[in-house]
Amino acid sequence: MSGRPFSSFYTTRLVGEIFMPPTRAVGDPSTDNQHKGRNGFPRGPNLRNSSSFKSKLPPSSAVRRSSPGALGAGADAVSGRVRVAVRLRPQNAEELEADADFADCVELQPELKRLKLRKNNWDSDTYEFDEVLTEYASQKRVYEVVAKPVVESVLEGYNGTVMAYGQTGTGKTYTLGRLGDEDTSARGIMVRSLEDIFSNISQETDTVTVSYLQLYMETIQDLLNPANDNISIVEDQKTGDVSLPGATVVEIRDQQSFVELLRIGEAHRFAANTKLNTESSRSHAFLMVQVRRSVLGRENDFTSEHDVSSNGVNNFKPPIIRKGKLVVVDLAGSERIHKSGSEGHMLEEAKSINLSLSALGKCINALAENSAHVPVRDSKLTRLLKDSFGGTSRTSLVITIGPSPRHRAETASTILFGQRAMKVENMLKIKEEFDYKSLSKRLEIQIEKLTAENERLQKACEDEVERIKLEAQKQISEAERDCAEALKEEKMKCQMDYMESIKQLEEKWMLNQTKHASNGFIGTSHAAEGGMPSGNDEVSELKKLLQNEVQQRKAAELEIKNLKDCLLKSMKPELAGGNADIFNLQKMLEEESQQRKKLEEEVIVLRHQLSQLTLEASQTTSCPDRSRTGNGFVGLDSVSSLRHLQFKDASDGERPSISNLHEKVGLHKILSLLESDDPNVRIHAVKVVANLAAEEANQEKIVEAGGLSSLLMLLRSYEDETIRRIAAGAVANLAMNEFNQELIMAQGGICLLAMTASDAEDPQTLRMVAGAVANLCGNDKLQTRLRSEGGIKALLGMVRSRHPDVLSQVARGIANFAKCESRAATQAFANLGTKHGRSLLIEDGALPWIVQNANNEASLIRRHVELALCHLAQHEVNAKDLISGGALWELVRISRDCSRDDIRALACRTLTSSPTFVAELRRLRIEV
Ligand code: ADP
Ligand code: MG
């Protein structure tokens, strides 16, 4: 190869024809192992061995997670050697001119990824790199070869570093930082990296933040905020992670804003360097891009869809966050390391630059040689790049060189740096973590959702309950309303029925009234015609019955005779026959004679009955004679009545003293005291008189002495109830006597008694008054007058007091009156053949009360009323009234149940003798 002209070398370099064959076959298994470094990757190139090394870069795909779901610091790491590419800058104008006569110091063999560094005209060293980029390599290609794999790793959650190292003016900034404003094809790695990042992330779930700094003389300045010019490095003691918490972090959403940010950063870098009177090439620039990606949308990486749908566990699995950090470092010119002989400030600066870069070189040397100690802490640059070399980052280094032989030493140094860097192995670790914050937020949202759903359901449930409740209430109220309406209707119906019944009863009552009136009239006219049934009818009927019986008897006798004759006739021819026939005939004869005997007895009974009836009939006819006894029918009762009417005020013990008093003082004197002005005297006097009047022996004397008038006067003139009561009692006692009765009537006593009857309230007063009137009622002569002067009405009026004593006297009075009426009617019919008119009792409206009390619980009242009813019923003229007034039932009852035989017999007789009753009973199919 010696003697080869520079031009042809250049040409050869261009086409890549000149090529040093390797001393060992590439990939020869017998030799490969000797060169393998950690993790089985081949070791870096053997420096100065121009022909025998072969270094193999791990493929991009080799960077992978060691196991699914491995996360963060705990994840298994994979080895990743620092990749180094060399880029040759084209000759610039100056070089074209100055180096025109000299060959380039380097010769590139890109297809072999080799670089030859010319030592002299005949010798050169060959170096192998991961990529060899000629002066013709486009920016796009440089990006794809150097940075793209790193960017891809960053997107997957690894840290990544792209760094340019080289002499000033060799194109570090050109490679990394060109914005490509005029020519987009000129865009550098920074711009292209962000373009790639933006096209691969989700704007919804992922974020990209950027910081831009420069390190100058061990000071970190914020290029996004120049005032912030002393940012300190913070190291996490646990993880060893390095961060710059003081740096401005800007979240960027699109490419344009990033380019703007870079522009601002560059402007600040330029301004800062101008201010410090330095060059940009003397500072290290750091672009830090943090990509935070959520793998929520890529669940399939971790769980199958089946898992998701089956149990929803996925809902509680925190989303995974992948945090990849891309650091792009534009280092200061490496030439300063060797040209540190500057003076003053420049010297300091050179020292500082030297410090950082030489520290970096030392670290890389240490790492390349697997040295136990890596002096990371010697400078800020090495501290900042701790993760990029020997750390967890995927690192790509581009070393830039110029072609000029004048800078051969710098170029050689750069190449050596790159060669050493290629030996550095990093342990790539994915930066993944569970996003508990996001999970918590998601769960919170889920809880909120569920709470809302729960509330909604609860509300729906409550609404439903409320609706059912309302429905039920509605139904209840409807039922209640229906019920109320039904009740109302029922009530109305009942009222209507009730009204209807009342109306019917009223109509009936009216009809009865009319009937009464007409019956009364008819009765009167009947009475006038004399059509009343009498005892004689009964007798004649009985006679008829008797005649029938006699006839029947005669017929029986005749039959017996006939039978005897037959017997005799039949016996004659059969006499000689047997005795059996004779015996039979004798038996028949005996039976016949017994029959006859029975019939005879019956005839005797009937005869007896006939005679009895005849006797009664004759007694009835002679009744007026009996009325002379005055108290007549009162009979048995009069004694008890008298006793009743004695005053309880005067005890039995007092009576002798009273009679004594009367004997001593004289009756006249006592009677005169009745008119005394002193009310006490009057009361005592009237008591004395009343007690005297209770004794039958005194009654005549009292009347003779004018006592009756005085007593009546007391009834008339005093409103004092006691005096009236005692006076009425006395009058009642006096009224036991027939003569006195007439006197009382003559003196207008009945009017006074009626007046007292209507005024008085005290039952005892009413009892006395009723007793007096009842006594008067027993007088046959006083009937008409008694009635016309209101006696009957007075009696009936007193029934308002329901006191049994009063009612008993009223009943006695009515019974007395009915008895007298009955007697008078019978007598009138017997004497004159005329019929008596309708009962005055019925006329005065006593019948309803009589019917009502015919079966009164009190036996005394009941007996009086029963008698009264029987008397009224004895006259046909009253029959219709009695039937319409409901008395027929009472008569039937009396005829059956009355405990007194005489009354029961009377009722029976009455019912069977009255044609009206008989007809009615027949109609009603009632048998008496
Ligand atoms: P450094 O940052 O290493 O000091 P620069 O990037 O500033 O160097 O480059 C110095 C000069 O070289 C610039 O004018 C730049 O445009 C030019 N240059 C560098 N690399 C290339 C390249 N590959 N192609 C064309 N021009 C380049
Ligand atoms: Mg630069």
Side-chain angles (χ1 to χ4, degrees):
M1 284 189 106
S2 56
R4 193 173 171 187
F6 280 113
S7 56
S8 68
F9 180 85
Y10 181 76
T11 311
T12 309
R13 176 172 56 83
L14 276 177
V15 296
E17 278 176 359
I18 297 168
F19 168 62
M20 289 288 287
T23 48
R24 284 182 214 129
V26 174
D28 183 347
S30 63
T31 56
D32 266 7
N33 282 343
Q34 294 171 15
H35 297 275
K36 285 201 174 144
R38 285 177 300 182
N39 302 312
F41 282 97
R43 278 192 172 276
N46 190 5
L47 290 177
R48 303 209 174 266
N49 184 347
S50 58
S51 59
S52 62
F53 78 87
K54 175 82 179 167
S55 65
K56 209 175 193 179
L57 287 172
S60 164
S61 59
V63 181
R64 54 177 171 77
R65 273 184 310 280
S66 58
S67 66
L71 294 167
D76 290 339
V78 291
S79 65
R81 185 177 54 74
V82 173
R83 282 160 49 99
V84 183
V86 59
R87 186 182 194 188
L88 178 67
R89 171 176 57 74
Q91 278 187 315
N92 56 30
E94 185 201 343
E95 285 165 342
L96 276 171
E97 196 178 328
D99 300 336
D101 297 329
F102 305 96
D104 285 352
C105 69
V106 290
E107 183 188 334
L108 304 183
Q109 294 176 321
E111 58 280 16
L112 294 174
K113 300 186 179 179
R114 285 177 185 170
L115 174 149
K116 280 185 174 180
L117 178 65
R118 198 180 294 276
K119 284 187 197 169
N120 46 49
N121 282 340
W122 59 91
D123 199 9
S124 63
D125 288 324
T126 302
Y127 300 96
E128 195 168 316
F129 284 95
D130 293 304
E131 281 297 336
V132 173
L133 301 161
T134 66
E135 63 269 43
Y136 306 109
S138 68
Q139 289 281 73
K140 184 171 180 264
R141 173 152 167 73
V142 171
Y143 170 73
E144 276 169 0
V145 167
V146 174
K148 195 172 174 76
V150 178
V151 170
E152 279 171 354
S153 289
V154 169
L155 284 167
E156 283 177 10
Y158 297 88
N159 283 347
T161 308
V162 177
M163 191 165 76
Y165 180 95
Q167 189 187 356
T168 300
T170 52
K172 298 184 293 294
T173 305
Y174 182 91
T175 302
L176 299 176
R178 282 203 64 166
L179 300 179
D181 289 335
E182 297 91 31
D183 177 9
T184 51
S185 67
R187 287 167 298 161
I189 283 172
M190 286 178 181
V191 176
R192 287 177 193 269
S193 298
L194 264 294
E195 266 174 7
D196 239 6
I197 288 170
F198 277 123
S199 64
N200 280 288
I201 60 159
S202 155
Q203 290 281 358
E204 284 81 42
T205 56
D206 306 340
T207 55
V208 178
T209 55
V210 169
S211 295
Y212 199 16
L213 309 133
Q214 82 168 356
L215 173 63
Y216 177 69
M217 289 185 65
E218 293 303 284
T219 304
I220 299 170
Q221 294 176 323
D222 192 342
L223 291 176
L224 300 179
N225 177 18
N228 194 7
D229 59 1
N230 193 12
I231 293 167
S232 51
I233 301 167
V234 175
E235 256 176 81
D236 188 315
Q237 292 301 321
K238 271 189 197 165
T239 62
D241 284 347
V242 175
S243 62
L244 301 166
T248 303
V249 179
V250 178
E251 186 180 339
I252 50 167
R253 301 218 139 260
D254 52 44
Q255 184 64 18
Q256 206 183 338
S257 51
F258 173 69
V259 173
E260 280 309 308
L261 208 68
L262 275 188
R263 208 189 303 283
I264 291 165
E266 282 307 313
H268 287 154
R269 191 182 184 193
F270 176 78
N273 292 336
T274 308
K275 191 178 162 195
L276 291 165
N277 193 24
T278 182
E279 296 167 30
S280 63
S281 58
R282 292 180 195 171
S283 69
H284 309 288
F286 284 81
L287 175 74
M288 293 179 171
V289 182
Q290 184 84 50
V291 182
R292 194 174 185 277
R293 301 189 74 193
S294 169
V295 291
L296 189 66
R298 296 184 296 172
E299 288 296 341
N300 288 350
D301 288 359
F302 298 91
T303 51
S304 69
E305 260 177 49
H306 177 73
D307 289 340
V308 175
S309 57
S310 65
N311 52 24
V313 163
N314 183 56
N315 286 336
F316 302 103
K317 191 167 183 173
I320 292 161
I321 297 295
R322 290 182 184 165
K323 292 175 175 174
K325 187 167 83 173
L326 175 68
V327 182
V328 183
V329 190
D330 184 1
L331 289 170
S334 58
E335 76 282 354
R336 303 292 170 184
I337 303 167
H338 312 288
K339 295 176 180 175
S340 54
S342 314
E343 291 174 1
H345 176 74
M346 289 296 281
L347 179 68
E348 285 304 307
E349 184 188 80
K351 269 186 189 168
S352 175
I353 293 164
N354 192 3
L355 176 77
S356 280
L357 279 179
S358 60
L360 178 63
K362 280 176 194 167
C363 283
I364 283 172
N365 281 345
L367 286 165
E369 286 157 17
N370 276 337
S371 169
H373 176 67
V374 181
V376 174
R377 303 194 64 83
D378 285 3
S379 74
K380 284 192 175 171
L381 181 66
T382 48
R383 285 174 70 195
L384 282 171
L385 294 174
K386 187 184 162 201
D387 193 46
S388 305
F389 294 93
T392 61
S393 175
R394 183 189 244 297
T395 300
S396 218
L397 172 68
V398 59
I399 54 168
T400 54
I401 51 173
S404 172
R406 286 179 290 136
H407 302 299
R408 190 189 170 280
E410 280 81 9
T411 304
S413 163
T414 301
I415 288 167
L416 281 177
F417 181 87
Q419 286 293 301
R420 284 198 198 98
M422 279 179 77
K423 290 183 179 177
V424 176
E425 294 233 14
N426 289 348
M427 296 302 288
L428 308 193
K429 278 186 184 173
I430 196 161
K431 307 288 181 185
E432 262 183 359
E433 59 185 42
F434 285 123
D435 187 0
Y436 289 105
K437 215 170 144 187
S438 160
L439 174 70
S440 148
K441 204 167 178 185
R442 216 168 78 192
L443 289 177
E444 264 173 36
I445 291 167
Q446 186 78 0
I447 287 168
E448 271 171 25
K449 250 188 190 172
L450 289 172
T451 309
E453 177 67 9
N454 186 37
E455 275 173 13
R456 191 186 66 76
L457 287 173
Q458 212 169 325
K459 176 89 189 353
C461 184
E462 278 169 13
D463 286 356
E464 184 64 11
V465 167
E466 189 63 21
R467 192 187 66 73
I468 290 168
K469 208 168 126 190
L470 281 173
E471 185 84 1
Q473 274 174 354
K474 204 175 133 193
Q475 279 175 4
I476 288 169
S477 58
E478 259 173 32
E480 278 176 352
R481 204 174 54 230
D482 288 354
C483 187
E485 270 173 20
L487 272 175
K488 207 171 149 189
E489 246 172 56
E490 194 61 26
K491 202 174 154 191
M492 283 288 285
K493 212 177 137 198
C494 284
Q495 276 179 351
M496 291 288 284
D497 287 355
Y498 175 73
M499 293 297 285
E500 189 61 28
S501 326
I502 294 278
K503 206 175 147 192
Q504 277 176 7
L505 284 170
E506 273 176 358
E507 275 171 9
K508 235 184 197 170
W509 185 77
M510 287 289 284
L511 207 72
N512 281 345
Q513 287 295 97
T514 333
K515 249 188 201 169
H516 273 224
S518 62
N519 279 352
F521 177 72
I522 293 162
T524 315
S525 60
H526 275 192
E529 285 164 22
M532 234 187 91
S534 67
N536 291 341
D537 293 344
E538 217 174 320
V539 170
S540 61
E541 212 165 300
L542 282 169
K543 272 179 182 168
K544 225 189 243 173
L545 214 69
L546 185 62
Q547 274 169 10
N548 279 347
E549 288 296 329
V550 170
Q551 273 173 11
Q552 277 180 15
R553 187 178 59 88
K554 277 179 184 168
E557 279 174 354
L558 198 69
E559 207 181 334
I560 291 166
K561 203 175 164 260
N562 286 342
L563 282 168
K564 271 183 185 171
D565 289 347
C566 283
L567 185 64
L568 283 172
K569 275 178 197 168
S570 62
M571 274 175 78
K572 274 172 193 171
E574 289 169 21
L575 208 56
N579 286 331
D581 287 343
I582 295 169
F583 179 74
N584 280 341
L585 284 168
Q586 272 179 342
K587 208 179 165 188
M588 277 172 70
L589 187 63
E590 261 175 25
E591 278 173 7
E592 282 297 325
S593 57
Q594 267 174 10
Q595 184 87 12
R596 185 184 156 189
K597 211 176 171 182
K598 260 189 193 168
L599 284 167
E600 277 174 354
E601 275 169 10
E602 229 173 285
V603 168
I604 289 164
V605 170
L606 285 166
R607 276 211 175 123
H608 179 71
Q609 280 183 353
L610 176 66
S611 65
Q612 274 237 296
L613 283 166
T614 316
L615 180 72
E616 236 178 89
S618 67
Q619 273 179 348
T620 312
T621 319
S622 63
C623 250
D625 302 329
R626 237 202 303 172
S627 70
R628 273 187 223 115
T629 56
N631 287 328
F633 197 75
V634 175
L636 288 169
D637 301 316
S638 58
V639 179
S640 63
S641 298
L642 278 173
R643 286 200 187 117
H644 244 266
L645 297 172
Q646 276 172 0
F647 290 94
K648 281 154 194 162
D649 310 45
S651 65
D652 288 345
E654 279 178 57
R655 210 166 291 145
S657 61
I658 287 170
S659 49
N660 287 347
L661 183 81
H662 139 241
E663 276 162 22
K664 279 181 198 165
V665 179
L667 189 61
H668 281 283
K669 180 66 184 169
I670 292 166
L671 290 174
S672 71
L673 290 174
L674 288 174
E675 291 163 30
S676 164
D677 292 335
D678 187 339
N680 285 330
V681 174
R682 272 203 310 272
I683 283 187
H684 279 99
V686 77
K687 279 184 182 172
V688 170
V689 173
N691 278 301
L692 287 172
E695 304 285 328
E696 205 172 347
N698 298 329
Q699 289 174 353
E700 203 176 327
K701 289 176 200 165
I702 292 168
V703 173
E704 273 175 13
L708 180 63
S709 310
S710 302
L711 288 167
L712 288 172
M713 185 196 68
L714 288 176
L715 277 183
R716 188 200 321 264
S717 50
Y718 286 98
E719 289 182 2
D720 184 304
E721 185 87 18
T722 313
I723 288 180
R724 290 213 293 181
R725 186 179 75 236
I726 300 165
V731 171
N733 280 336
L734 292 177
M736 284 161 66
N737 178 294
E738 194 182 343
F739 175 73
N740 290 347
Q741 288 165 358
E742 283 165 20
L743 267 181
I744 290 165
M745 288 302 286
Q747 290 183 23
I750 191 65
C751 290
L752 293 168
L753 287 167
M755 204 173 72
T756 312
S758 71
D759 289 351
E761 290 300 331
D762 179 13
Q764 291 311 317
T765 310
L766 293 171
R767 180 171 74 106
M768 301 305 171
V769 174
V773 177
N775 283 348
L776 294 174
C777 285
N779 192 319
D780 292 290
K781 295 176 200 162
L782 305 177
Q783 293 274 292
T784 317
R785 193 164 171 194
L786 191 66
R787 188 252 173 153
S788 64
E789 290 182 12
I792 296 168
K793 293 251 161 104
L795 265 185
L796 291 172
M798 282 183 282
V799 302
R800 72 176 185 277
S801 155
R802 295 167 183 274
H803 198 285
D805 288 352
V806 180
L807 297 181
S808 163
Q809 292 305 325
V810 170
R812 186 168 68 84
I814 286 171
N816 279 350
F817 197 94
K819 173 80 181 175
C820 291
E821 254 190 346
S822 171
R823 265 202 303 255
T826 312
Q827 208 171 20
F829 184 70
N831 294 349
L832 310 165
T834 55
K835 281 187 179 173
H836 201 265
R838 192 164 72 137
S839 164
L840 296 175
L841 285 170
I842 295 174
E843 292 279 302
D844 274 8
L847 191 56
W849 188 83
I850 291 169
V851 173
Q852 255 173 42
N853 290 276
N855 198 18
N856 194 297
E857 278 177 14
S859 61
L860 199 59
I861 299 168
R862 187 169 69 240
R863 210 176 64 211
H864 287 312
V865 177
E866 280 172 349
L867 268 172
L869 208 50
C870 288
H871 287 306
L872 287 173
Q874 283 201 322
H875 300 283
E876 193 70 11
V877 71
N878 294 329
K880 280 186 178 170
D881 284 314
L882 291 171
I883 289 168
S884 67
L888 183 61
W889 300 107
E890 293 305 327
L891 285 165
V892 170
R893 182 190 60 75
I894 293 163
S895 74
R896 286 174 182 170
D897 302 338
C898 184
S899 57
R900 264 180 56 169
D901 295 345
D902 56 338
I903 299 174
R904 199 170 65 240
L906 185 61
C908 219
R909 212 163 53 228
T910 308
L911 285 175
T912 47
S913 63
S914 155
T916 313
F917 287 149
V918 169
E920 183 65 7
L921 288 171
R922 200 178 298 133
R923 192 180 70 79
L924 297 169
R925 298 173 199 277
I926 295 167
E927 282 190 29
V928 180

